[in-house]
Amino acid sequence: MFVTGGVSSSLGKGLTASSLGRVLKARGLHITMCKLDPYLNVDPGTMNPGEHGEVFVTEDGGETDLDLGHYERFIDENLSRNSNTTTGSIYSSVIEKERRGDYLGRTVQVIPHITDEIKDRIRRLESDDVDVVIVEIGGTVGDIEIVPFIEAIRQFRREIGRDNVCYVHLTLVPYLAPSGEQKSKPTQHSVAELRSQGIQPDVIVCRSDRFIEPDMKRKISLFCDVPMEGVISAIDAPSIYEIPRVLHEEGLDTYVCERLRIDLEQYPIDLTQWQQVIDSVDAATTPVTIGIVGKYVDMSDAYLSVVEATRHGGFHHGAKVEFVWIDAEKVPSEIDVEHLAALDGMIIPGGFGERGVEGMIAAARIAREIGLPTLGICLGLQVMCIEYARDVAGLDGANSREFDSTSPHPVIDLMSDQVGIVNKGGTMRLGAYPAMLQPGSQMAAIYGSTVVSERHRHRYEFNPRYRARIEEAGLVCSGDSPDGRLVEFIELPGHPYWVGTQAHPEFKSRPERPHPLFRELIGEALARAEGRAPHLIAPESIER
Ligand code: GLN
């Protein structure tokens, strides 16, 4: 299934594709998904999150588009680095092949060489365990960059057969207030553009702020040559997790299965599990305020998985999370203890570069001193260690070598310096790594296990030369890499929740299975909000 978008960007193509994946999965089909991005960057790893949103990391260490996060959260399947391809990576492998002489001196062209490479990338996802591959094409039909992708997916249909391909096109049906009517013209133009490139959509999903009436559907059906059942009204939903149900109620999965000759009786829908997610969203009403201290506070997509994982933690406790975005550069000059004390919990998320770091350190200190439940993620853990080293362990000028190459106490340093790898950075620890948690620790209690695996994306590590000194001062390194060389988790006894992880737990949270660290953050935040005693877990509950 190919999902394209027209009329405008930001219509929620990723969420529509994810929701489609979920309803097909609810029919018992095995789904995988991928995103083809028409930009020239080889991968999103180096792109500015303030502009492009977060970089989502897969189990195998792929640095991918944030839509993959939606895919994983909706279809509840782990994807891989192969699940995201960009124009940059396609050109780069075609050019590499050309340099190697693989094309035997022939002229290398967009058609067929680039389009063949695109099709190969899609075929890589084929496996015995997969019934349907959903491929989302980034960008908007009509963009110059998208043309080779559209051509490739057109050819795809010829190669695997008409009945094995379904084209879904997402458009916008605006409502014009002065005339009081919905307009189909943008949809008509967008479909005309798609058809001019050889693709007749099977389904048109119409985004709109109100229901699309049968008369309007009839009109779109007629002008765009799609049967009425293929015109789907995708009205704005109160929560993204409602979208699968909205699309199912519109008959999208039934129609798509018919198009693909999938036997509806063999694959009946069972949305019970997803309905539980929707119910948990609806039941999440107790307000809880969580501050996020970062540098991309104007662009919440920069922390998309953190936000979703925090919401999931709320679903578990029946709590609705209100986010307070705290610009790290304003701490503590404009945002100080008074403001932070008004929060119920705080997150210091991942990040790169020096900007805002001193503010994060100040925020971590305030949170430690006032007992504010705080979760430090990756850079967040590093910031907490720096703060503790400076203020409690008496290591003046402690810092990360990322921010101060002349620090007298580089408590955070390049791992290459620590483990003797002759590589000065440029390499990151990416993807899933196991960690061993200390039996009896808060961390082991939260996870309910002493062996865990989390995804990573960082260069710097806790410097083991300072471990004894900092632990003597009271901070507990409660989780290590299996060889004991790298610190993975920290916690502070006596504080309700001042914990950090070198990993990115947000990538593994699912609406039906909130990640333990976020679940616990919300639990402690609620305890604070309600003035209850902090919920410290009894060590007996730990599985050893
Ligand atoms: N900049 C830090 C590092 O490279 C933290 C990275 C992150 O938070 N993802 O180690």
Side-chain angles (χ1 to χ4, degrees):
M1 302 201 39
F2 294 107
V3 180
T4 55
V7 181
S8 158
S9 57
S10 306
L11 287 184
K13 198 153 25 87
L15 284 167
T16 305
S18 307
S19 302
L20 179 55
R22 185 68 204 205
V23 284
L24 294 181
K25 182 168 176 166
R27 285 190 172 273
L29 293 159
H30 295 280
I31 308 295
T32 196
M33 300 189 63
C34 88
K35 171 107 191 255
L36 305 180
D37 272 313
Y39 47 72
L40 284 163
N41 306 62
V42 173
D43 66 40
T46 52
M47 292 169 86
N48 179 355
E51 209 177 283
H52 192 73
E54 81 174 4
V55 174
F56 185 82
V57 181
T58 53
E59 283 288 294
D60 63 350
E63 298 179 271
T64 69
D65 186 80
L66 55 72
D67 273 324
L68 270 78
H70 288 311
Y71 302 169
E72 286 203 358
R73 288 186 284 273
F74 276 71
I75 65 170
D76 195 12
E77 299 285 343
N78 286 338
L79 302 172
S80 78
R81 59 172 68 249
N82 285 338
S83 314
N84 191 194
T85 289
T86 68
T87 296
S89 80
I90 288 163
Y91 270 80
S92 118
S93 51
V94 168
I95 290 169
E96 202 179 299
K97 286 182 192 164
E98 186 274 333
R99 293 289 81 183
R100 250 193 345 243
D102 291 6
Y103 298 116
L104 305 172
R106 284 192 295 270
T107 312
V108 180
Q109 294 178 299
V110 172
I111 305 172
H113 301 99
I114 295 295
T115 48
D116 281 353
E117 184 70 28
I118 297 172
K119 288 183 290 176
D120 282 351
R121 301 291 175 105
I122 299 169
R123 284 216 174 79
R124 274 185 208 171
L125 301 164
E126 187 180 16
S127 90
D128 289 344
D129 308 330
V130 172
D131 299 313
V132 182
V133 179
I134 300 176
V135 181
E136 177 191 348
I137 318 290
T140 308
V141 168
D143 292 349
I144 190 159
E145 296 93 342
I146 210 177
V147 175
F149 291 96
I150 302 291
E151 171 59 15
I153 67 172
R154 184 193 68 77
Q155 294 172 13
F156 215 90
R157 181 187 57 196
R158 273 203 20 215
E159 290 170 21
I160 70 166
R162 186 69 194 86
D163 292 342
N164 296 318
V165 170
C166 179
Y167 298 111
V168 177
H169 188 57
L170 182 69
T171 70
L172 175 70
V173 175
Y175 175 79
L176 296 189
S179 55
E181 44 180 4
Q182 287 181 314
K183 290 293 179 190
S184 68
K185 196 69 86 190
T187 299
Q188 293 177 40
H189 280 301
S190 174
V191 171
E193 176 72 35
L194 199 57
R195 288 164 84 179
S196 76
Q197 295 179 41
I199 291 184
Q200 166 62 45
D202 298 293
V203 177
I204 301 177
V205 178
C206 305
R207 280 299 311 276
S208 61
D209 63 350
R210 59 204 68 211
F211 192 71
I212 295 179
E213 300 298 337
D215 271 353
M216 186 50 138
K217 281 193 177 177
R218 210 164 288 125
K219 190 168 171 189
I220 294 172
S221 159
L222 178 66
F223 280 99
C224 302
D225 203 14
V226 167
M228 274 283 275
E229 315 83 79
V231 182
I232 304 293
S233 166
I235 188 166
D236 298 346
S239 137
I240 56 172
Y241 297 111
E242 299 251 1
I243 305 172
R245 187 179 62 189
V246 170
L247 296 181
H248 168 65
E249 282 166 1
E250 278 284 303
L252 177 62
D253 49 302
T254 312
Y255 180 69
V256 157
C257 286
E258 279 166 1
R259 283 281 327 120
L260 290 173
R261 309 281 188 269
I262 293 170
D263 185 350
L264 289 169
E265 273 167 32
Q266 195 187 341
Y267 294 102
I269 188 114
D270 178 6
L271 270 175
T272 344
Q273 214 188 328
W274 194 254
Q275 187 57 45
Q276 284 166 4
V277 169
I278 300 174
D279 292 344
S280 73
V281 178
D282 290 344
T285 49
T286 314
V288 64
T289 307
I290 302 293
I292 298 192
V293 188
K295 61 177 179 177
Y296 301 117
V297 288
D298 300 330
M299 165 68 164
S300 61
D301 271 1
Y303 305 110
L304 184 61
S305 293
V306 171
V307 166
E308 288 307 318
T310 310
R311 289 199 174 119
H312 301 165
F315 301 162
H316 178 86
H317 293 282
K320 185 173 170 51
V321 181
E322 317 274 355
F323 291 95
V324 176
W325 295 96
I326 299 168
D327 181 348
E329 288 185 290
K330 298 199 173 130
V331 187
S333 57
E334 289 172 50
I335 299 169
D336 60 13
V337 59
E338 234 179 281
H339 302 92
L340 299 190
L343 301 171
D344 301 322
M346 186 172 90
I347 296 174
I348 309 176
F352 293 83
E354 201 189 342
R355 185 161 69 84
V357 165
E358 287 300 322
M360 295 176 202
I361 294 172
R365 173 164 312 163
I366 295 170
R368 178 171 57 76
E369 289 174 347
I370 65 172
L372 178 68
T374 300
L375 172 61
I377 298 173
C378 203
L379 176 65
L381 169 138
Q382 299 176 356
V383 154
M384 289 167 130
C385 292
I386 296 167
E387 188 282 311
Y388 206 80
R390 286 184 191 173
D391 202 47
V392 187
L395 297 164
D396 285 346
N399 214 329
S400 162
R401 218 191 274 279
E402 181 180 5
F403 315 125
D404 180 2
S405 57
T406 61
S407 164
H409 298 298
V411 294
I412 306 293
D413 205 345
L414 277 181
M415 53 185 148
S416 51
D417 287 358
Q418 295 167 24
V419 293
I421 302 167
V422 198
N423 187 340
K424 285 276 181 195
T427 47
M428 276 209 261
R429 191 141 77 102
L430 281 169
Y433 284 88
M436 313 300 283
L437 305 182
Q438 216 177 77
S441 62
Q442 184 182 15
M443 213 42 94
I446 292 169
Y447 273 96
S449 169
T450 51
V451 184
V452 300
S453 166
E454 295 288 359
R455 300 182 195 172
H456 290 65
R457 178 172 183 252
H458 59 111
R459 256 181 215 109
Y460 294 82
E461 302 278 355
F462 185 101
N463 186 342
R465 285 196 287 129
Y466 288 94
R467 181 166 180 161
R469 176 93 182 251
I470 291 176
E471 287 210 291
E472 272 156 31
L475 191 71
V476 171
C477 299
S478 48
D480 296 313
S481 57
D483 64 3
R485 287 168 121 166
L486 304 170
V487 171
E488 294 277 18
F489 293 92
I490 57 157
E491 64 191 58
L492 185 60
H495 190 291
Y497 197 76
W498 200 76
V499 305
T501 164
Q502 189 54 77
H504 284 279
E506 67 272 25
F507 296 138
K508 287 181 72 170
S509 189
R510 304 280 196 262
E512 57 256 80
R513 272 193 319 288
H515 190 285
L517 288 175
F518 290 89
R519 187 198 66 213
E520 202 56 25
L521 172 71
I522 301 299
E524 295 301 342
L526 281 170
R528 178 179 165 85
E530 292 160 10
R532 283 190 276 122
H535 160 234
L536 296 173
I537 301 163
E540 306 83 73
S541 64
I542 305 165
E543 169 204 313
R544 287 171 208 243

